[in-house]
């Protein structure tokens, strides 16, 4: 809500107000909404009007504020116990200013856009700059609302004074966000120099009016390269500002159209992922693993795949990091586990014998309070030997959450599930840490064995890892094996299991079952170098 360009108000079923973002506070002239109800803010409005907004997923109503101004309210987001409404002024001729920004030289949005369009028509180069004051809400909680208001007023006045010094037009939008129009520039370095001068008074040694640190998110567009109209330039610089909201403070970041496009693509993928399970777009592939000592296919890794009707096949290298970041990975993980258990049950009925089936578990999934009960309930629904299951987890998450990891992994071990460390060699890679965890398997990352056939240092490293892992009763699996030379070297180094394109690519369940049945003779010949 804080980063949205819309005025947003959360309303609970009984009409009690929840969160209200800065833009909505400016629109509705709110200072303190604690213990207020939606009805108290508008007159006249009936309980039926509120009920309509809360009952319909597409609710819409025109309401009046206590001050007599008309607003439109739309249902934006539906939660289980509340709804987020977008609020708009019906008559937006009056600029939306905070009560604090009454400085006569501060322009409104329309004036900034008009000036930008005039410069564009005259062919004058200029920059459009967005400046967001970071963590204003945190200030309010730390120093109190009244002091934060006074501090914001002073910061605004200092910014205006500095803007005048660098010959910039300054406007105030809402939600502690300013916009500057910088002209009389001959190069992009001029923009950097002027912005450095703009915020120079807010250095920690210069600005001492409060205990809080004054920090800004600053992004800019160069005209006409980054926009053909004032509106387009403003939209682009505001989007860029929101995308950099969690980045380093007081850096000057230029609008990047390719980054915006990537972000839009990520948002599209993120939204589509929420419906991928219900729309039956997901499926599993299985990559065989080869036991170097038994010389047979002993196990496999379960891999998630996604075919979207309009996006096509989406690479897991693209959608898995997005799912991790946005949270969909939790439910995706349970779906994979359920389908893998179904496959194991079917294989047992068909007489397919495997030692292990490896399933990737996200750190976010493991971190859920109900992870163990959900896994136990899910496994109880299948007539399978839990010792067939091997959960692969990344080393970094386990080490960063060591105590929590020990407790949960110990419970999984008691249930018969094996635990593997995935991508070993890309994180801490510390066997002293791993010795504290109930680990059964170390899976060496492909990046560590690329040159193993020729590099003595790589051979020594893998040999030491293998020896120490075996001393701790751990098995060593190596992924990414693509050449016969790598295979033979890993066998000499006493590694246990390998997987990679040399053995087989990930494949459908039907192909995998067929491969398990016919692979023995061919792989045995491969081991002999025939």
């Amino acid at each position: 809500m804080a980063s949205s360009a819309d005025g947003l108000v959360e309303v609970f079923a009984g009409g009690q107000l929840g969160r209200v973002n800065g833009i909505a506070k400016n629109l509705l002239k709110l200072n303190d909404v604690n213990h207020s109800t939606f009805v108290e803010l508008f007159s006249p409005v009936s309980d039926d009007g509120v009920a309509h907004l809360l009952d319909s997923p597409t609710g819409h109503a025109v309401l009046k504020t206590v001050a007599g101004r008309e607003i439109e309210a739309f249902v934006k987001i539906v939660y289980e116990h509340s709804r987020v409404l977008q609020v708009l002024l019906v008559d937006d001729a009056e600029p939306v200013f905070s009560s604090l920004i009454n400085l006569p030289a501060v322009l409104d949005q329309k004036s900034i856009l008009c000036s930008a369009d005039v410069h564009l028509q005259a062919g004058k180069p200029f920059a459009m700059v967005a400046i967001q004051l970071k963590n204003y809400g945190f200030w309010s909680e730390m120093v109190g609302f009244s002091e934060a208001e006074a501090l914001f007023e002073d910061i605004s006045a200092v910014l205006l004074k500095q803007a005048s010094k660098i010959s910039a037009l300054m406007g105030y939008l809402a939600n502690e966000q300013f916009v500057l129009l910088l002209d009389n520039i001959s190069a992009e370095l001029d923009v950097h120099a002027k912005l450095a001068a703009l915020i120079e008074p807010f250095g920690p040694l210069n600005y001492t009016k409060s205990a809080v640190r004054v920090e800004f998110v600053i992004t800019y567009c160069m005209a006409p390269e980054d926009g053909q109209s004032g509106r387009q330039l403003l939209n682009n610089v505001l989007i860029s500002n929101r995308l950099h909201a969690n980045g380093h403070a007081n850096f000057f970041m230029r609008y990047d159209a390719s980054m915006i496009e990537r972000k839009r693509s990520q948002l599209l993928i993120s939204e589509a992922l929420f419906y991928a399970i219900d729309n039956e777009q997901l499926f599993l592939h299985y990559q065989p693993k080869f036991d170097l000592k038994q010389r047979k296919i002993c196990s496999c890794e379960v891999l998630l795949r996604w075919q979207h009707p309009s996006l096509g096949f989406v690479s897991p290298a693209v959608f898995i990091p997005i799912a991790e970041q946005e949270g969909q990975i939790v439910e995706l993980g349970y779906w994979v586990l359920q389908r893998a258990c179904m496959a194991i049950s079917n294989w047992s009925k068909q007489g397919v014998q495997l030692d292990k089936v490896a399933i990737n578990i996200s750190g976010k999934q493991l971190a859920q309070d109900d992870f163990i009960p959900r896994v136990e309930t899910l496994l109880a629904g299948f007539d399978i030997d839990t010792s067939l299951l091997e959960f692969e987890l990344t080393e970094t998450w386990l080490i960063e959450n060591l105590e929590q990891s020990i407790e949960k992994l110990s419970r999984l071990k008691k249930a018969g599930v094996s635990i593997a460390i995935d991508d070993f060699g890309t994180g801490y890679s510390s066997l002293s840490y791993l010795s504290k965890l109930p680990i059964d398997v170390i899976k060496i990352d492909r990046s560590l064995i690329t040159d193993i056939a020729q590099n003595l240092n790589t051979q020594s490293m893998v040999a030491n890892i293998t020896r120490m892992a075996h001393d701790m009763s751990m098995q060593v699996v190596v992924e990414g094996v693509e050449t016969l030379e790598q295979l033979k070297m890993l066998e000499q180094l006493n590694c246990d299991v390998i997987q990679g394109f040399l053995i087989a690519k990930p494949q459908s369940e039907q192909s995998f079952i067929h491969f398990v049945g016919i692979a023995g003779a061919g792989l045995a010949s491969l081991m002999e170098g025939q």
Side-chain angles (χ1 to χ4, degrees):
M1 293 182 71
S3 63
S4 174
D6 301 321
L8 300 177
V9 177
E10 183 181 32
V11 185
F12 290 92
Q16 182 73 31
L17 283 183
R19 296 166 292 176
V20 180
N21 72 358
I23 292 180
K25 287 182 180 180
N26 289 326
L27 282 167
L28 304 176
K29 308 298 183 186
L30 298 178
N31 288 330
D32 187 0
V33 297
N34 293 336
H35 309 300
S36 297
T37 64
F38 194 69
V39 174
E40 290 173 346
L41 296 179
F42 301 98
S43 178
V45 62
S46 66
D47 290 340
D48 291 340
V50 176
H52 172 69
L53 283 173
L54 298 180
D55 291 342
S56 171
T58 57
H60 165 247
V62 178
L63 308 168
K64 280 190 176 182
T65 68
V66 175
R69 300 199 66 184
E70 287 192 351
I71 68 159
E72 285 187 276
F74 304 85
V75 173
K76 184 86 170 179
I77 307 171
V78 178
Y79 294 118
E80 183 178 358
H81 301 296
S82 69
R83 296 194 172 195
V84 174
L85 308 179
Q86 178 184 354
V87 292
L88 299 169
L89 287 176
V90 174
D91 177 13
D92 64 354
E94 179 182 329
V96 181
F97 288 152
S98 162
S99 60
L100 302 177
I101 306 301
N102 291 321
L103 302 171
V106 175
L107 302 177
D108 61 16
Q109 178 176 314
K110 290 182 179 179
S111 299
I112 288 288
L113 293 178
C114 181
S115 296
D117 287 332
V118 169
H119 285 328
L120 285 167
Q121 291 170 10
K124 292 182 178 180
F126 67 95
M128 182 86 77
V129 183
I131 303 173
Q132 174 76 47
L133 183 60
K134 292 190 73 172
N135 299 330
Y136 179 73
F138 172 72
W139 289 6
S140 300
E141 295 175 0
M142 189 171 74
V143 303
F145 185 78
S146 297
E147 186 174 342
E149 263 193 345
L151 185 59
F152 181 59
E153 184 175 10
D154 185 72
I155 290 170
S156 303
V158 174
L159 280 175
L160 182 60
K161 181 179 179 181
Q162 293 301 109
S164 177
K165 287 183 178 180
I166 61 175
S167 301
L169 298 177
M170 181 174 124
Y172 178 70
L173 301 182
N175 209 22
E176 296 80 52
Q177 192 163 55
F178 302 86
V179 61
L180 293 182
L181 195 152
L182 291 174
D183 59 5
N184 296 320
I185 56 173
S186 58
E188 195 168 344
L189 287 177
D190 292 343
V191 177
H192 289 204
K194 289 190 174 187
L195 291 178
L198 180 81
I199 65 172
E200 190 271 337
F202 299 102
L205 300 179
N206 300 331
Y207 195 81
T208 57
K209 293 198 174 185
S210 174
V212 299
R213 181 184 294 271
V214 179
E215 296 180 335
F216 301 101
V217 180
I218 303 174
T219 54
Y220 64 94
C221 284
M222 299 297 294
E225 300 97 312
D226 297 332
Q228 300 301 312
S229 69
R231 172 62 66 183
Q232 186 179 30
L233 286 166
L234 182 61
N235 287 343
N236 287 345
V237 78
L238 291 180
I239 290 171
S240 182
N241 201 264
R242 287 197 292 273
L243 293 182
H244 288 98
N246 296 321
H248 294 294
N250 300 345
F251 277 66
F252 313 140
M253 306 299 295
R254 182 174 175 177
Y255 166 79
D256 182 350
S258 62
M259 184 189 74
I260 302 299
E261 191 55 41
R262 288 195 299 272
K263 185 63 177 180
R264 286 191 178 120
S265 177
Q266 290 174 5
L267 291 174
L268 179 62
I269 291 171
S270 176
E271 182 69 17
L273 272 174
F274 282 109
Y275 307 101
I277 294 177
D278 291 341
N279 293 339
E280 300 181 351
Q281 298 165 0
L282 302 174
F283 58 98
L284 299 182
H285 270 178
Y286 304 84
Q287 185 166 28
K289 294 183 179 182
F290 184 74
D291 191 306
L292 291 170
K293 296 179 174 59
Q294 299 183 60
R295 299 201 171 192
K296 70 172 187 177
I297 299 297
C298 63
S299 54
C300 68
E301 180 179 0
V302 180
L303 300 167
L304 180 61
R305 297 293 184 260
W306 182 24
Q307 182 74 33
H308 189 271
S310 59
L311 298 174
F313 177 77
V314 185
S315 169
V318 173
F319 77 80
I320 292 296
I322 294 174
E324 287 275 5
Q325 179 179 327
E326 302 296 330
Q328 301 97 324
I329 196 67
V330 173
E331 293 307 318
L332 293 178
Y334 289 122
W335 184 89
V336 170
L337 179 58
Q338 181 186 45
R339 292 306 175 98
C341 288
M342 291 173 60
I344 294 171
S345 179
N346 292 334
W347 298 343
S348 297
K349 295 174 184 176
Q350 298 172 35
V352 177
Q353 299 295 322
L354 293 174
D355 296 337
K356 296 290 180 183
V357 176
I359 301 166
N360 289 282
I361 301 295
S362 164
K364 283 194 174 182
Q365 191 178 0
L366 187 66
Q368 299 295 304
D369 291 337
D370 63 346
F371 173 73
I372 296 296
R374 283 192 69 173
V375 169
E376 291 173 342
T377 300
L378 191 153
L379 296 181
F382 295 93
D383 184 20
I384 61 173
D385 182 356
T386 55
S387 66
L388 290 173
L389 294 174
E390 182 176 285
F391 285 179
E392 292 188 2
L393 298 113
T394 59
E395 179 189 10
T396 302
W397 190 92
L398 293 175
I399 301 306
E400 290 177 350
N401 302 273
L402 191 60
E403 295 303 319
Q404 185 181 10
S405 300
I406 292 173
E407 189 269 332
K408 290 190 175 182
L409 297 187
S410 297
R411 291 182 63 180
L412 289 173
K413 287 272 289 185
K414 289 180 181 179
V417 178
S418 297
I419 307 299
I421 295 295
D422 196 11
D423 299 332
F424 187 82
T426 61
Y428 293 93
S429 306
S430 171
L431 289 174
S432 64
Y433 276 107
L434 297 183
S435 65
K436 304 178 190 300
L437 295 165
I439 303 300
D440 302 287
V441 176
I442 287 178
K443 191 171 183 182
I444 296 178
D445 186 71
R446 68 182 67 232
S447 63
L448 294 189
I449 59 110
T450 304
D451 62 348
I452 194 168
Q454 303 84 25
N455 192 320
L456 293 177
N457 290 332
T458 302
Q459 294 170 18
S460 176
M461 177 180 60
V462 172
N464 287 331
I465 291 173
T466 302
R467 185 183 66 255
M468 288 187 289
H470 286 168
D471 287 345
M472 292 187 286
S473 301
M474 298 178 187
Q475 190 181 49
V476 175
V477 176
V478 182
E479 63 178 345
V481 179
E482 298 182 353
T483 69
L484 182 60
E485 289 76 15
Q486 290 173 337
L487 180 151
K488 289 184 175 181
M489 180 56 64
L490 293 169
E491 184 181 28
Q492 291 178 27
L493 297 175
N494 207 26
C495 296
D496 301 298
V497 177
I498 62 172
Q499 73 179 92
F501 286 179
L502 179 67
I503 304 302
K505 294 182 178 181
Q507 53 202 267
S508 68
E509 181 179 354
Q510 184 177 359
S511 297
F512 172 70
I513 296 301
H514 179 69
F515 182 81
V516 171
I518 67 169
L523 291 173
S525 298
L526 182 66
M527 292 289 291
E528 301 301 328
Q530 299 178 8

